[in-house]
RNA sequence: GUGGCCUUAGCUCAACCGGCAGAGCAUCGGAUUGUGGAUCCGAAGGUUACGGGUUCGACCCCCGUAGGCCACCCCA
């Protein structure tokens, strides 16, 4: 056994898997650009207080999942690896005075997040998110646009079956009253509740609604619904969001039990998920409105809305569908040689090809020609350049491995020939895991 | 953080009741000194996750640890 392994909950993205991520990132970047979002990059760690105040000190994400890093000279402060992107981006919005930019400020970021929870398939301590934030627009039209953006991303990624859950969780004006009503509803039954539900009653009453305990089903059915108790402003906002979604033809399911786990959410809450899958995590991404966040972080009250979509879970879902199959040659051409010892000429020819813009690698082994061809064939390269005695007349053999044909080509024409016969531009979102199989 | 299942070569898996650790794939070499993925032959690859215990003897039984997975908590 190797003495060192990737830390628990982390993993190496091997080249084939990394290329699937790369393509998702490219889809995300292009889509965000088309909607007018500009890329931002915030640090992977922040003062822990950014998350404690932004995300909420009593949430699971902070209480038990935050990766803390002590300062070198520990003076009671600590940094923390970002568990989600929004708090850091809003911190940057405030720090750089983005309220003086044209509003809303539309930002996107894709990168790793960190949560110290117990790993499972699709749940990692380091995971990747595609994030979108529109700060400074109270909605409701932008809410619908962002949900539509998320749906477009999944479609482009190859997951047409992704469904949307929608809810409104009110705001500071109506949520406290609703929580009080909910607590009052369950309180008389408190002693008969399962232990975990009793704890929720105190700690996070909204969670009672989506209990997985069948014994709770009857009680939950009669519970008050937040969407029936929204204040007028939240109700009007929610109605307008739904109206805009209808115009866009977005199909979604109202889910009154949808509660976002972070404190900063207000009003619109949504989630993208894949129905009917066992194991792994069905939630592929989620987001919502956070009109109170900027204030919590010391800025002027500023509305905002955004989402974070988990790339790891998308790749997992694509793998489960067998949708990552496709082949891609590592290079357009491999330069091999009849003289096993003459690596210098092969290197020189390959170097000239690259300078001309052709993807080419030289076989720098000292193996005989047959072995060099064998390797090239296993790589599924399309063209092989064979260096041999013909070089004395300025010629090389250009072999098309797919067709099995071969022609004598002047070295001077080689790059042009390869450029015209380029077969490298055919790929999907991913590729197979290589000859050995899966990761 | 709670409970459960699992861990044998790079990968997928065998190994009877506790009795000599194996195969396929992949890798490398040969058959084939200037022509490829097939075929045949061969080689290399193991502290049976790690650490203890029981036993004449442990991949196998027991304890602990680590990692993976499943269900929760929660979430992407």
């Amino acid at each position: 056994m190797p003495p060192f392994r990737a830390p628990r909950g982390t993993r190496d993205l091997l080249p084939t898997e990394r290329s699937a991520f790369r393509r998702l990132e490219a889809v995300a970047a292009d889509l965000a650009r088309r909607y007018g979002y500009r890329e931002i990059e915030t640090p992977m760690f922040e003062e822990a207080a950014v998350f404690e105040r932004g995300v909420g000190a009593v949430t699971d994400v902070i209480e038990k999942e935050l990766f803390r890093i002590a300062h070198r000279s520990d003076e009671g402060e600590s940094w923390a690896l970002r568990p989600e992107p929004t708090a850091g981006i809003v911190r940057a919005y405030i720090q750089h005075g983005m309220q003086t930019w044209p509003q809303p400020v539309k930002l996107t970021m894709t990168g790793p997040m960190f949560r110290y929870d117990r790993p499972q398939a699709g749940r990692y301590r380091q995971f990747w998110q595609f994030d979108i934030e529109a700060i400074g627009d109270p909605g409701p039209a932008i809410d619908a646009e962002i949900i539509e953006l998320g749906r477009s991303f999944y479609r482009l990624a190859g997951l047409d079956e992704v469904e949307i859950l929608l809810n409104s969780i009110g705001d500071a004006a109506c949520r406290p009253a609703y929580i009080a009503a909910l607590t009052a509803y369950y309180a008389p039954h408190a002693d008969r509740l399962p232990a975990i539900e009793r704890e929720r009653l105190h700690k996070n009453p909204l969670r009672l609604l989506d209990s997985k305990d069948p014994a709770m089903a009857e009680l939950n059915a009669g519970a008050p619904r937040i969407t029936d108790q929204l204040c007028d402003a939240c109700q009007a906002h929610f109605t307008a969001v739904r109206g805009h979604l209808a115009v866009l033809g977005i199909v979604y399911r109202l889910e009154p039990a949808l509660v976002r786990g972070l404190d900063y959410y207000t009003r619109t809450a949504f989630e993208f998920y894949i129905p009917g899958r066992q194991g792994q995590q069905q939630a592929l991404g989620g987001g919502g409105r956070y009109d109170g966040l900027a204030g919590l972080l010391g800025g002027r009250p500023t509305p905002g809305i955004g989402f974070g979509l988990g790339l790891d879970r998308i790749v997992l879902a694509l793998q489960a569908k067998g949708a990552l199959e496709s082949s891609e040659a590592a290079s357009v051409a491999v330069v091999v040689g009849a003289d096993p010892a003459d690596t210098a000429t092969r290197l020189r020819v390959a170097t000239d090809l690259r300078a001309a813009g052709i993807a080419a690698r030289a076989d720098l082994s000292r193996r005989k020609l047959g072995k060099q061809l064998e390797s090239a064939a296993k790589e599924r390269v399309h063209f092989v350049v064979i260096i041999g005695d013909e070089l004395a007349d300025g010629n090389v053999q250009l072999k098309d491995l797919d067709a099995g044909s071969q022609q004598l080509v002047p070295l001077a024409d080689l790059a042009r020939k390869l450029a015209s016969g380029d077969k490298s531009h055919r790929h999907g979102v991913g590729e197979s895991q290589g000859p050995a199989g899966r990761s």
Side-chain angles (χ1 to χ4, degrees):
Chain A
M1 283 301 109
F4 297 111
R5 289 185 298 188
R8 181 172 203 199
T10 71
R11 66 211 201 287
D12 303 306
L13 301 180
L14 303 185
T16 49
E17 193 175 4
R18 185 66 188 88
S19 95
F21 270 75
R22 175 70 67 199
R23 288 184 190 141
L24 288 176
E25 288 162 5
V27 166
D30 181 59
L31 198 59
R33 184 189 57 74
R34 276 153 56 192
Y35 282 71
Y37 289 80
R38 301 185 68 202
E39 202 170 358
I40 188 174
E41 186 83 33
T42 67
M44 291 189 200
F45 62 95
E46 300 267 358
E47 289 295 333
V50 170
F51 305 120
E52 289 163 352
R53 292 173 59 182
V55 173
V58 296
T59 59
D60 272 22
V61 167
I62 299 304
E63 272 185 339
K64 60 179 207 186
E65 297 174 4
L66 197 64
F67 267 95
R68 292 175 184 277
I69 310 167
H71 287 191
R72 277 301 185 102
S73 57
D74 190 14
E75 286 155 10
E77 288 182 295
S78 71
W79 293 303
L81 264 35
R82 61 184 183 199
E84 55 87 46
T86 308
I89 289 176
V90 170
R91 188 227 82 229
Y93 175 93
I94 296 166
Q95 177 179 336
H96 301 286
M98 294 187 206
Q99 70 272 11
T100 68
W101 298 10
Q103 303 292 298
V105 174
K106 299 165 84 174
L107 299 170
T108 183
M109 179 166 78
T110 298
M113 306 295 152
F114 305 86
R115 291 185 198 174
Y116 191 83
D117 58 0
R118 191 152 158 177
Q120 246 177 74
R123 162 185 286 177
Y124 307 103
R125 289 180 173 182
Q126 177 179 350
F127 58 99
W128 277 261
Q129 276 193 356
F130 162 41
D131 188 67
I132 280 282
E133 308 290 352
I135 307 173
D137 187 333
I142 189 77
D143 301 33
E145 185 187 54
I146 281 188
I147 290 168
E148 189 276 322
L149 167 48
R151 187 191 63 164
S152 290
F153 177 69
Y154 287 113
R155 289 191 170 176
L156 289 171
L159 293 176
D160 289 342
E161 67 271 44
V162 166
E163 295 185 4
I164 301 169
L165 296 180
L166 181 69
N167 194 23
S168 173
I169 57 174
D171 64 7
C174 51
R175 191 159 19 153
Y178 170 69
I179 290 176
L182 198 60
T183 307
Y185 172 80
Y186 284 101
H189 310 279
D191 9 336
R192 294 195 304 277
L193 293 179
I196 188 173
E197 310 298 349
R198 214 174 309 135
E199 190 187 329
R200 279 171 161 158
L201 184 56
H202 295 298
K203 195 179 163 189
N204 195 350
L206 297 175
R207 290 281 170 211
L208 283 161
L209 291 172
D210 66 337
S211 169
K212 295 185 176 81
D213 188 338
M216 295 292 292
E218 193 182 338
L219 192 54
N220 285 345
R225 294 188 161 203
I226 186 156
T227 43
D228 295 332
Q229 307 213 359
L230 294 173
C231 60
D232 290 346
C234 285
Q235 190 62 257
H237 187 273
F238 192 42
T239 301
V241 170
R242 298 184 60 185
H244 282 82
L245 289 173
V247 168
L248 294 176
I250 305 279
V251 176
Y252 57 91
R253 188 156 64 81
L254 282 180
E255 178 50 80
L258 175 63
V259 179
R260 306 265 73 216
L262 316 181
D263 277 3
Y264 56 58
Y265 283 112
T266 56
R267 295 187 171 174
T268 309
F270 55 90
E271 187 169 299
F272 299 98
Y273 78 105
I274 292 197
R277 294 186 64 216
Q278 291 295 318
Q280 283 133 26
Q281 319 299 324
Q282 288 192 353
L284 293 193
R289 179 159 281 285
Y290 46 87
D291 294 343
L293 179 55
L296 289 172
L297 294 178
R300 297 203 307 221
T302 309
I305 182 168
F307 63 56
L309 311 186
L311 300 187
D312 309 74
R313 290 183 181 178
I314 294 172
V315 170
L316 232 37
L318 290 171
Q319 267 167 358
K321 287 171 64 176
L324 286 193
E325 304 307 318
S326 115
S327 59
E328 179 192 3
S331 317
V332 172
V334 173
V335 180
V336 301
D339 177 3
D342 185 10
T343 52
T345 303
R346 305 202 292 267
L347 182 55
R348 196 195 81 216
V349 171
T351 301
D352 290 345
L353 285 174
R354 293 166 195 143
I358 307 293
R361 75 165 179 87
D363 190 320
L364 300 179
S365 74
R366 290 166 170 262
R367 298 176 301 172
K368 59 189 180 185
L369 182 61
K371 290 293 181 187
Q372 295 180 46
L373 286 167
E374 189 178 324
S375 286
K378 283 179 180 171
E379 264 180 61
R380 294 200 269 194
V381 158
H382 302 299
F383 296 101
V384 163
V385 177
I386 302 169
I387 310 293
D389 296 335
E390 315 83 324
L391 194 59
D393 302 321
N395 295 323
V396 297
Q397 295 285 355
L398 176 57
K399 186 178 177 69
D400 182 331
L401 285 182
D402 302 323
S405 59
Q406 180 172 324
Q407 59 181 318
L408 197 65
V409 173
L411 186 56
D413 294 343
L414 184 59
R416 197 166 40 78
K417 279 271 187 199
L418 281 169
S420 64
D422 191 339
K423 298 179 184 175
S424 69
H425 301 301
R426 47 183 190 200
H427 25 246
V429 169
E431 63 183 49
S432 72
Q433 273 308 116
R438 319 152 38 87
S439 65

